[in-house]
Structures are given as structure tokens and as C-alpha cells.
Amino acid sequence: MDFQAGILQDGSPMESLEKQLICPICLEMFSKPVVILPCQHNLCRKCANDVFQAANPYWQTRGGSVISGGRFRCPSCRHEVLLDRHGVYGLQRNLLVENIIDIYKQECSSRPLKKGEHPMCKEHEDERINIYCVTCEVPTCSMCKVFGAHKDCEVAPLQSVFQGQKTELNNCISMLVAGNDRIQTIISQLEDSCRSTEENSEAAKQELCARFDALAALLEEKKSELLQRISREQGDKTSFIQGLICQYKEQLEKSSRLVETAIQAMEETGGAAFLMNAKQLIQTIVEASKGARLEKIEQGYESMEAFSVSLDHLTEAINALDFDLAEEDEEYFDGEEEEVEQ
């Protein structure tokens, strides 16, 4: 395996070396044992065996005994190799690559981090934040646990808490996105209701105008009065619906900003830096998701059918004409009270 050229060309020899130690099948660093093919390419033995088994499904008999070899195609150069009855286990191990991997891992684990690459403890400036205080729910350093404010607290490895809270934050993001979808659906329904209210109001106005125009001057005053009442009802309903739309849009905007903040936090790769704000962010998301239930309109709220009158009356009864709203108003308020109770 020739990785020296890559080391000389790249500014970071360790990064160049790592690229040369990647298995072309699992795309991870070679796991021991590493086998070398006749074409001089290397593979994890487990990965090579998975490919071999897939290409030779009848390699073993029912009882498990090996009866013959099989064909294997190198995933790097497509060179076909005929293996003996031992299959992949008959290939020679590349001990050189295995030793290089061991040395590489030791080097990576022993390399000191620069001070700017990792958050440092505020109390002990030379100490990196490397543990998590479960009692206080904050990341801290080993000196704080031994001698500092967290000496009597329960601590846990930073990486385990990092993975747990990152998973929790991911779940919160999913919950927020789902909530935003529901809010957007409600907004669309409210906008449809607003349009229907306006259309129905206009239809009621036209019908009322047609009837009153046939009655001449005696009905003009009454017509104007009832038109104003329809307009007021329309204004009240549309204002109420528009107010709901504004509330839902405001909640959607806040929730969307919170999603963006959470997504930016998910992009943080450093465990300690992530945990500095993760807990508060998760609590903020949970509280936002539990937010106050906004008011809704009942079914048929946009209807204006009640603003219809029959003109088959005598002239003496014209002054008594009115909309039959009392019963509907009572039913509307009863429905509103039930919704509030729910």
C-alpha cells in the first residue's frame, strides 16, 4: 500500500495517512485482521467475507462443511481472484497495515490539543472541560471534581452525555418541525375561512340589496340599517380571523427561528461546546412545544346565512324586520365556552 506520496503532498501527514487506511467497502478505518489480495489491495476481513458470501451463496454445504472455493472481485480494481476452499480466510493477513493502524491510533490518542481547540475551564484555565456534572447539569473539568465546586457531585463521561443530549435535541427538532406543519395547516384553514366569510358576506349583501330595491323608498332606511349590521358582522368575524392568523404566524415565526437555532446547535461537533448551551436550548424547545393553545373558530363560523330575510310580509311589518341572530349567537357562545373548557 503506497501512502507516502499522499503524505508528501498533503500539508497534514496524519490526515493523508488516515485516507490511506480507509476500507473501500465499509469506508471506515481497516479493522483487524486486514487481508491483502493478490492485486495488493487491502480489505477488512469481515468486509471481504461479506462480499465473498454475497457472490458465492452456495459456498458451504447444508452441514456447514466447505466443499470448494469461489470467485472474488476486488472492489478497488475489479480484479477477479479465485479463492481456494478456505475462502477469504485463506488470504494472507497484512501485518504491516495492522501495525500502521496501531501506531496511528496511538499517535492520535497521545496528540495534545491546542488550547483554542477545546473549551477550557473558567476556574482552572489550564484544564480542559472533559467531564459532565450530572448533579449540576453542566460540563466541567477534572480539577473541579477533585478540588472544586463539583467535588461532591456525581459526574459522567462527557461523550456519553453529549450523545444523549444531542439525540434529545434532534428529537426536539423533529417535534418542532411537526408542530410547525400543523400550525401551517391551521393558518391555511383560517385563510380559507376568511375568504369564505368575505364571499358569503358579499352574497348576503347582494341578496339583501335585490330584495330591498323592489320595495322602494319605504325599505331604503331599513335596508341601510341591515346592510350596516352585515358589514359590522363581517368586520367582526374577519377581524377575529385575521387576529388568529397573526397569532399563528407569530407562533410559527418564533418556532421556525427556534428550529434554525437548534439546527445550528446540531452542527456543533465539539461535545463540550455543544453541551454549554444544549440543556437550555432543549428546555426552551420543550416549553415552546407546550406553548399556550391558540384559539380556533368553530365550524361554520364564516357562514352568513343568518343574514337573510323574507320580504313576503305586509308593509306594516317592515319596521319590525330584523335578523334572526339571537338563537345563533347563543349557540355560538355556547360552543365557544365548550371549546375554552376543552
Side-chain angles (χ1 to χ4, degrees), residues 56-69:
N56 302 272
Y58 302 105
W59 182 56
Q60 292 183 336
T61 63
R62 182 177 303 176
S65 60
V66 180
I67 59 175
S68 64

Side-chain angles (χ1 to χ4, degrees), residues 181-191 248 296:
D181 292 339
R182 290 193 295 270
I183 293 175
Q184 185 60 56
T185 300
I186 294 175
I187 290 175
S188 299
Q189 293 173 350
L190 289 173
E191 290 174 344
Y248 277 101
K296 301 178 182 178

Side-chain angles (χ1 to χ4, degrees), residues 3-280:
F3 55 85
Q4 295 180 355
I7 294 179
L8 294 175
Q9 295 174 2
D10 199 300
S12 176
M14 295 301 291
E15 292 181 1
S16 300
L17 177 60
E18 182 179 357
K19 293 178 182 178
Q20 301 296 327
L21 300 178
I22 298 299
C23 173
I25 297 178
C26 63
L27 301 181
E28 300 288 344
M29 185 170 293
F30 290 119
S31 60
K32 293 191 298 185
V34 180
V35 295
I36 182 170
L37 301 175
C39 57
Q40 301 304 308
H41 288 116
N42 297 278
L43 299 172
C44 305
R45 188 163 71 182
K46 179 181 181 304
C47 295
N49 190 56
D50 292 341
V51 174
F52 179 71
Q53 292 288 349
N56 302 272
Y58 302 105
W59 182 56
Q60 292 183 336
T61 63
R62 182 177 303 176
S65 60
V66 180
I67 59 175
S68 64
R71 296 182 179 276
F72 181 87
R73 189 179 296 275
C74 176
S76 298
C77 64
R78 311 305 296 168
H79 177 71
E80 189 175 73
V81 181
L82 183 62
L83 303 181
D84 59 16
R85 63 186 182 87
H86 298 290
V88 172
Y89 290 87
L91 293 173
Q92 186 177 5
R93 289 177 58 178
N94 195 332
L95 299 179
L96 174 60
V97 172
E98 294 180 11
N99 293 334
I100 292 175
I101 291 174
D102 291 338
I103 296 173
Y104 173 82
K105 291 181 177 179
Q106 293 175 4
E107 177 66 19
C108 289
S109 62
S110 62
R111 278 192 305 168
L113 291 174
K114 295 181 181 180
K115 190 172 183 179
E117 294 180 354
H118 196 286
M120 308 300 289
C121 179
K122 294 181 179 180
E123 299 295 331
H124 308 90
E125 297 181 355
D126 295 331
E127 293 292 326
R128 294 186 298 116
I129 294 179
N130 55 2
I131 58 175
Y132 187 83
C133 178
V134 178
T135 306
C136 303
E137 297 184 339
V138 293
T140 184
C141 73
S142 302
M143 295 296 293
C144 289
K145 170 58 182 173
V146 178
F147 305 107
H150 302 282
K151 61 182 180 180
D152 297 325
C153 299
E154 180 184 356
V155 297
L158 199 66
Q159 188 65 22
S160 63
V161 182
F162 163 70
Q163 293 295 339
Q165 291 199 9
K166 201 161 190 177
T167 301
E168 185 177 355
L169 180 58
N170 183 64
N171 295 334
C172 290
I173 292 175
S174 301
M175 180 171 56
L176 273 180
V177 172
N180 290 347
D181 292 339
R182 290 193 295 270
I183 293 175
Q184 185 60 56
T185 300
I186 294 175
I187 290 175
S188 299
Q189 293 173 350
L190 289 173
E191 290 174 344
D192 292 340
S193 298
C194 184
R195 286 191 296 268
S196 298
T197 300
E198 294 174 352
E199 293 172 358
N200 295 337
S201 299
E202 188 64 27
K205 289 180 182 181
Q206 294 176 359
E207 179 184 359
L208 196 62
C209 287
R211 296 195 177 201
F212 271 84
D213 288 343
L215 294 179
L218 183 60
L219 301 179
E220 285 296 326
E221 184 177 357
K222 196 67 176 179
K223 178 182 68 175
S224 300
E225 176 187 349
L226 296 181
L227 282 174
Q228 291 175 3
R229 293 186 60 182
I230 291 178
S231 297
R232 285 197 302 269
E233 183 68 12
Q234 175 191 348
D236 292 342
K237 286 190 175 183
T238 54
S239 297
F240 177 73
I241 295 175
Q242 291 288 358
L244 288 181
I245 292 175
C246 292
Q247 293 177 24
Y248 277 101
K249 285 185 176 180
E250 182 179 359
Q251 181 174 343
L252 177 61
E253 183 179 354
K254 292 180 179 178
S255 184
S256 299
R257 288 198 300 267
L258 195 54
V259 169
E260 294 177 358
T261 302
I263 291 176
Q264 292 176 359
M266 287 294 295
E267 295 175 354
E268 178 60 51
T269 58
F274 172 84
L275 291 174
M276 299 294 286
N277 300 315
K279 189 66 179 180
Q280 181 62 36

